Amino acid sequence: MFARSFVHQSSRQVSRHGSWVCNPHRAARGSLLLRTYASSANAPLAEKFAVNGDRLWEDIHYTAQWSAPSPGGLTRLCATEHDKHARDWFRDQVLALGADYKVNATGTQFAVFPGEDSSIAPIAMGSHLDSVATGGKFDGPLGVIGGLEVIRSMKEQGVKTRAPLVLINWTNEEGARFFPLLGSSIVYAGQSTVAEAHASLSNDHSGITMGSELAKIGYVGDGPNTFQEFPISAHFEIHVEQSTDLEKAGKPVGWVEGWQGMTWYSLELTGEDGHANTYKMYGRRDALQGAAKIITAVEALAYKHNGDSTVTNIISGPWGACNIQSNTKVSFCLMHKEAEGQLAMGSDIEKQIKGIAALHGLELKLKRDIYVPPGDFWPEAIDCVKRACGDKGIGSRTGTGHDSTMTTTLVPTAMVFVRAKDGISHSAKEWSDKDDCTEGALALGKAVLNFDELMKTKK
Amino acid sequence: MFARSFVHQSSRQVSRHGSWVCNPHRAARGSLLLRTYASSANAPLAEKFAVNGDRLWEDIHYTAQWSAPSPGGLTRLCATEHDKHARDWFRDQVLALGADYKVNATGTQFAVFPGEDSSIAPIAMGSHLDSVATGGKFDGPLGVIGGLEVIRSMKEQGVKTRAPLVLINWTNEEGARFFPLLGSSIVYAGQSTVAEAHASLSNDHSGITMGSELAKIGYVGDGPNTFQEFPISAHFEIHVEQSTDLEKAGKPVGWVEGWQGMTWYSLELTGEDGHANTYKMYGRRDALQGAAKIITAVEALAYKHNGDSTVTNIISGPWGACNIQSNTKVSFCLMHKEAEGQLAMGSDIEKQIKGIAALHGLELKLKRDIYVPPGDFWPEAIDCVKRACGDKGIGSRTGTGHDSTMTTTLVPTAMVFVRAKDGISHSAKEWSDKDDCTEGALALGKAVLNFDELMKTKK
């Protein structure tokens, strides 16, 4: 089976606690495929394909009602009641379209639509309906609802692919409520387990887990959890750009060629309890003072190495108005376009953190939770998106991780970017125009049809 | 009435949001009283008085069972179930001793025991049974249970004062669960209101209030809330020293002459939401980066001004692994032995905070919540404690606030310090030996008897 043949060529492995293993033959092989199958024209079915931009736009805004209060934005944290509403709505839509529907143990929803040949693994379109705490209406939902629009339009237009299609709503891509991120696609990619995902702890340190919260909303299902159980042939995803390359180029869409390197760290500093008023300064073991110096160092690190960095979480205790802080936890991420720079940032900050902890007499637990070196999507998949975009697009790169960053370890994967106003994301101000969303969904549908055609030539 | 006459000489006023108002005549008048009434001998009743150290020690440890898990220490946060257990126990003990018992609207428990002359306002002994999150068994409980031991011993020995006595368990002295601190004694002193105390918010930013939590455990009563409703003649309190002066001098007890200056600030920084991975560094409005620089500045400030400082709380959001922190709240306190130094620290850090907020493009809300300049307890009350301590004690000063810091704005107040191992406090390691606790309770009882005698000579 086609998808399987790609699996064996999978070039990388990502680990929650380790690093990618790169296959030096990968790029060369990809180029070969590209030379073999690339064409500047779209597949015949793709040439005629159209989507309904009004319906897409209405559903993006209709579903945004399922949110905690967030004027203009979206706060639909994973496994909340709001998330349940959006999931139920998704289920109803795909069932109405005749999907073979499953929910897996990490809550991910799969809606399979038959093609002409059910022996082929389906081509996937996927993203996530859950959001960050201060999210916009587009990061995530555009990918899922855009895919839904593609399915609906294909039905209406009698467009039938040879391969089946599967629309996927992945769980906890953001890691906003539960850490680590890519909570379900990482299990699908075989880099983590259902048990680990279920044990993902809430970032508010309340001790609740993703597994228990998914169970509460009735989204622990018996559907497939891994690629081995349910292989796909490829994965395509529309996403807002979260940067300004398209905006500057005056283009509504883009094909995403790859991603920058990203490393997530978490640390815990433990000092000593003491009275806030009566203890002398010298000899204190104040965990929060150590953390403050580390936070400042993480910022300076980005400038020093020409990368980027963000401290994303801090929690410190004991609560109160009259205690020295004896326990402080901090999470941060480092970003760099080049692998060498990313590694240099990591080893630099690790040394600094150890020094600061020692200076303040603090016990340190430091963990590199996730390490993703910079990489490229599959050339044949990129090419399908590139032809789908045509002269409405340019090539771009993503600065962050997506569910596609997991599927690309398995099968041909590429993404469609949609122009985002001022590059703002993870904010209520996140915005893409209706016409740009429409172009994005259209490019997604065409890319899928191009890939289906590509698989025919491969057979 | 005696107490009333002292009220009119009240020398200071503390405000939650303002500053003390000092009466320049206060010190001179205090000295006059001292010259008039001081004597190196204890009152006749005090000379013979004894306490039961075994009973005191057993009750300190017996009541420590009402605590969240805290090996060796005490975690009895205000208005929790653990606090309710301790309060119920206190109620049962004082009722068994025949007290006229009341609970007021802020949960403070008053147990009045008659003297020979019920027209005189009672002499108070008070402290708190609730604790900080990482507390020891002594800070607070020693004061209340020590007072209970004095009452029990007086009963057993047939010692009757002329003034009635009142034993008080004050609510939320620490401000550990609800801010601000001195939660009930500040209302009693007329510097805040019951409504404000009830609205005190939980430090975990969950939005719960002290009023609602006190109601849950059944401790919103109809007893007196203010000095005007229920005047006292004086207030005495035993407390662990929280410093090492007694230990260095080899003395079990001390008379507390005054306190250092303390200022509490809280601030909120508001920046802008954004994606943790995809946003460039320049132009970010990262509230946590601003907060980290402020926290570091608060530490440096102490060394610069020869004072002390502690950052006691931080909370930052939005939660998640993939967002720039757009809202960060920080609380800190500044301590200085001299009023000029304390004010200089405050104005210095206020300027620095404004500069750091501006540098990071952050909106700033900065509030000086509590300002207590250095001050002295009442000489006549100190003298009562000094004579009670005799050659077992030395003079000392406290580095922090107590309920006595509130009552001293109203009536003669002084404190008994008990030697604390290594000066450790607000920690499970907090420790005072049994014999030292016994000496403390004895000094408390003798001080009360000395003051009762002093009031007789005044009449």
Side-chain angles (χ1 to χ4, degrees):
Chain A
M1 196 162 65
F2 188 86
R4 285 290 184 195
S5 75
F6 272 94
V7 175
H8 298 139
Q9 293 136 21
S10 171
S11 62
R12 324 172 189 74
Q13 294 194 310
V14 71
S15 156
R16 281 172 64 170
H17 312 306
S19 61
W20 291 65
V21 179
C22 289
N23 179 344
H25 304 300
R26 163 75 166 66
R29 194 175 175 294
S31 302
L32 184 67
L33 281 172
L34 192 62
R35 278 197 300 277
T36 311
Y37 301 110
S39 139
S40 63
N42 282 298
L45 286 173
E47 281 298 337
K48 301 183 294 188
F49 186 65
V51 295
N52 183 336
D54 290 337
R55 183 167 54 192
L56 169 62
W57 189 248
E58 280 162 18
D59 277 350
I60 288 171
H61 292 279
Y62 175 76
T63 57
Q65 71 181 289
W66 299 307
S67 168
S70 174
L74 187 71
T75 301
R76 192 191 291 149
L77 289 169
C78 174
T80 56
E81 276 302 303
H82 309 297
D83 187 26
K84 174 179 161 50
H85 280 297
R87 288 162 174 275
D88 289 352
W89 175 86
F90 176 83
R91 175 200 61 208
D92 295 346
Q93 302 309 305
V94 297
L95 287 176
L97 291 166
D100 177 12
Y101 171 77
K102 294 272 186 194
V103 176
N104 75 9
T106 55
T108 288
Q109 297 172 286
F110 296 92
V112 180
F113 299 93
E116 289 165 355
D117 183 349
S118 62
S119 73
I120 302 172
I123 299 171
M125 296 179 282
S127 198
H128 55 95
L129 288 173
D130 51 14
S131 83
V132 295
T134 58
K137 292 172 181 167
F138 301 88
D139 179 353
L142 175 59
V144 177
I145 302 171
L148 182 65
E149 178 50 37
V150 167
I151 300 284
R152 284 168 168 167
S153 292
M154 284 184 176
K155 281 232 168 238
E156 286 168 357
Q157 293 159 42
V159 173
K160 188 115 180 178
T161 49
R162 193 187 58 145
L165 301 181
V166 57
L167 180 57
I168 309 177
N169 175 29
W170 296 104
T171 296
N172 195 36
E173 186 261 0
E174 300 284 9
R177 187 173 180 207
F178 302 105
F179 193 82
L181 29 69
L182 302 168
S184 182
S185 53
I186 199 168
V187 177
Y188 182 77
Q191 309 299 341
S192 184
T193 64
V194 169
E196 283 183 302
H198 277 186
S200 295
L201 284 164
S202 171
N203 288 318
D204 67 2
H205 294 260
S206 62
I208 61 171
T209 63
M210 190 168 86
S212 65
E213 294 303 290
L214 280 172
K216 268 190 205 162
I217 63 161
Y219 272 90
V220 176
D222 58 4
N225 294 308
T226 64
F227 178 78
Q228 277 65 35
E229 293 171 56
F230 178 68
I232 55 175
S233 293
H235 189 270
F236 293 93
E237 180 173 7
I238 328 178
H239 206 281
V240 286
E241 189 193 9
Q242 310 182 299
S243 187
T244 54
D245 289 353
L246 302 187
E247 199 171 52
K248 284 177 187 157
K251 298 285 185 181
V253 288
W255 54 90
V256 186
E257 296 175 340
W259 57 89
Q260 68 178 342
M262 291 160 274
T263 317
W264 277 264
Y265 282 93
S266 60
L267 63 93
E268 178 173 4
L269 298 165
T270 305
E272 195 156 33
D273 290 317
H275 196 295
N277 301 140
T278 64
Y279 271 41
K280 296 294 107 185
M281 301 302 289
Y282 181 75
R284 285 188 184 192
R285 296 170 58 204
D286 185 324
L288 181 54
Q289 285 297 343
K293 290 190 178 69
I294 289 168
I295 291 167
T296 303
V298 168
E299 185 190 46
L301 184 81
Y303 290 102
K304 179 175 171 189
H305 291 271
N306 197 25
D308 297 292
S309 65
T310 309
V311 180
T312 54
N313 217 346
I314 184 169
I315 189 152
S316 189
W319 295 116
C322 223
N323 267 73
I324 293 166
Q325 296 292 283
S326 59
N327 186 274
T328 306
K329 299 187 183 88
V330 171
S331 303
F332 63 90
C333 53
L334 308 178
M335 284 69 65
H336 205 284
K337 294 202 188 322
E338 291 163 20
E340 296 73 17
Q342 184 187 4
L343 288 170
M345 282 177 89
S347 61
D348 188 342
I349 198 69
E350 285 179 23
K351 269 183 222 161
Q352 288 191 63
I353 289 169
K354 285 171 192 167
I356 291 165
L359 187 74
H360 284 266
L362 302 169
E363 288 168 38
L364 168 69
K365 284 184 200 163
L366 175 64
K367 194 170 141 198
R368 191 176 76 168
D369 295 297
I370 299 179
Y371 170 64
V372 181
D376 295 327
F377 288 118
W378 295 58
E380 55 274 51
I382 297 168
D383 185 63
C384 289
V385 177
K386 184 177 180 180
R387 285 184 282 138
C389 291
D391 59 9
K392 289 186 173 163
I394 57 163
S396 182
R397 296 186 73 81
T398 176
T400 184
H402 303 280
D403 293 309
S404 291
T405 322
M406 281 296 119
T407 61
T408 199
T409 66
L410 304 165
V411 292
T413 296
M415 296 178 72
V416 181
F417 261 172
V418 169
R419 177 164 50 190
K421 186 166 166 33
D422 300 326
I424 292 170
S425 184
H426 287 198
S427 162
K429 293 182 184 169
E430 187 179 88
W431 188 258
S432 292
D433 286 339
K434 180 182 163 187
D435 288 349
D436 294 357
C437 292
T438 307
E439 288 296 342
L442 182 62
L444 177 70
K446 287 185 174 186
V448 166
L449 292 169
N450 285 341
F451 195 83
D452 189 55
E453 186 69 19
L454 176 67
M455 284 206 289
K456 289 180 196 165
T457 65
K458 169 77 180 168
K459 195 169 185 177
Chain B
M1 195 161 64
F2 186 85
R4 285 290 183 193
S5 74
F6 272 95
V7 175
H8 298 140
Q9 294 136 20
S10 170
S11 62
R12 324 172 189 72
Q13 293 194 310
V14 71
S15 155
R16 281 173 62 169
H17 312 306
S19 62
W20 291 65
V21 179
C22 287
N23 179 346
H25 305 300
R26 164 74 167 68
R29 192 172 179 294
S31 303
L32 184 67
L33 281 171
L34 191 63
R35 278 197 300 278
T36 311
Y37 301 110
S39 139
S40 63
N42 282 298
L45 286 173
E47 282 297 337
K48 300 182 294 185
F49 185 64
V51 295
N52 183 337
D54 291 337
R55 182 167 54 192
L56 169 62
W57 189 248
E58 280 162 19
D59 277 350
I60 287 171
H61 293 278
Y62 176 76
T63 57
Q65 72 180 289
W66 299 306
S67 167
S70 174
L74 187 71
T75 301
R76 193 190 291 149
L77 289 168
C78 174
T80 55
E81 276 302 303
H82 309 296
D83 187 25
K84 174 178 160 51
H85 279 296
R87 288 163 174 274
D88 289 353
W89 176 86
F90 176 82
R91 175 201 60 208
D92 294 346
Q93 302 311 305
V94 298
L95 287 176
L97 291 166
D100 178 10
Y101 170 77
K102 293 270 187 195
V103 177
N104 75 9
T106 55
T108 287
Q109 297 172 286
F110 297 93
V112 181
F113 299 92
E116 289 164 354
D117 183 348
S118 62
S119 74
I120 303 173
I123 299 171
M125 296 180 282
S127 198
H128 55 95
L129 288 173
D130 51 14
S131 83
V132 295
T134 58
K137 293 172 180 166
F138 301 89
D139 179 352
L142 175 60
V144 177
I145 302 172
L148 182 65
E149 178 51 38
V150 168
I151 299 285
R152 284 168 168 167
S153 292
M154 284 183 176
K155 281 235 167 233
E156 288 168 354
Q157 293 159 42
V159 173
K160 188 117 183 178
T161 50
R162 192 186 59 146
L165 301 182
V166 58
L167 179 57
I168 309 178
N169 175 28
W170 295 104
T171 297
N172 195 37
E173 186 260 1
E174 300 284 8
R177 187 174 180 206
F178 303 104
F179 193 82
L181 29 69
L182 302 169
S184 182
S185 54
I186 199 169
V187 177
Y188 182 77
Q191 309 298 340
S192 183
T193 64
V194 169
E196 283 184 302
H198 277 185
S200 295
L201 283 164
S202 170
N203 286 319
D204 66 3
H205 295 260
S206 63
I208 60 172
T209 62
M210 189 168 87
S212 65
E213 295 303 290
L214 280 172
K216 268 190 205 163
I217 63 161
Y219 272 91
V220 176
D222 59 4
N225 295 308
T226 63
F227 178 79
Q228 277 64 36
E229 293 170 55
F230 178 69
I232 55 175
S233 293
H235 188 271
F236 293 93
E237 180 174 7
I238 328 177
H239 207 281
V240 286
E241 189 194 8
Q242 310 182 300
S243 186
T244 54
D245 288 354
L246 302 188
E247 201 170 52
K248 285 176 189 159
K251 298 285 184 180
V253 289
W255 54 91
V256 186
E257 296 175 340
W259 57 89
Q260 68 178 341
M262 292 159 275
T263 317
W264 277 265
Y265 282 93
S266 60
L267 63 92
E268 179 174 3
L269 298 165
T270 305
E272 196 157 32
D273 289 319
H275 196 295
N277 300 140
T278 64
Y279 271 40
K280 297 292 108 186
M281 302 302 291
Y282 182 75
R284 284 188 185 191
R285 296 170 57 205
D286 184 325
L288 181 54
Q289 285 297 343
K293 291 190 179 67
I294 289 168
I295 291 167
T296 304
V298 168
E299 185 190 47
L301 184 81
Y303 290 102
K304 179 175 170 189
H305 290 272
N306 197 25
D308 297 292
S309 65
T310 308
V311 179
T312 54
N313 217 345
I314 184 168
I315 189 154
S316 189
W319 294 116
C322 222
N323 267 73
I324 294 166
Q325 296 292 283
S326 59
N327 187 274
T328 306
K329 299 187 184 90
V330 170
S331 302
F332 64 91
C333 53
L334 309 179
M335 285 68 65
H336 204 285
K337 294 201 186 327
E338 291 164 19
E340 296 72 18
Q342 183 187 4
L343 288 170
M345 282 178 91
S347 61
D348 187 343
I349 198 69
E350 285 179 21
K351 269 183 219 160
Q352 288 190 63
I353 289 169
K354 286 172 191 167
I356 291 166
L359 187 73
H360 284 265
L362 302 168
E363 290 169 38
L364 168 69
K365 285 185 199 162
L366 176 63
K367 195 168 140 199
R368 191 175 76 168
D369 295 297
I370 299 177
Y371 171 64
V372 181
D376 296 329
F377 288 117
W378 295 57
E380 55 274 51
I382 297 168
D383 185 63
C384 289
V385 177
K386 184 177 180 180
R387 286 184 281 136
C389 292
D391 59 11
K392 290 186 175 165
I394 58 165
S396 182
R397 297 184 73 81
T398 176
T400 185
H402 303 280
D403 293 309
S404 290
T405 323
M406 282 296 119
T407 61
T408 199
T409 65
L410 305 163
V411 292
T413 295
M415 295 178 73
V416 181
F417 262 171
V418 170
R419 177 163 52 186
K421 185 165 166 31
D422 299 325
I424 292 171
S425 183
H426 286 197
S427 162
K429 294 182 184 169
E430 186 179 271
W431 189 258
S432 291
D433 286 338
K434 180 182 163 188
D435 288 349
D436 293 358
C437 292
T438 308
E439 287 297 340
L442 183 62
L444 176 70
K446 287 186 173 185
V448 166
L449 293 169
N450 285 341
F451 195 83
D452 190 55
E453 186 70 20
L454 177 67
M455 285 207 289
K456 289 180 195 167
T457 66
K458 168 79 180 169
K459 193 168 186 178

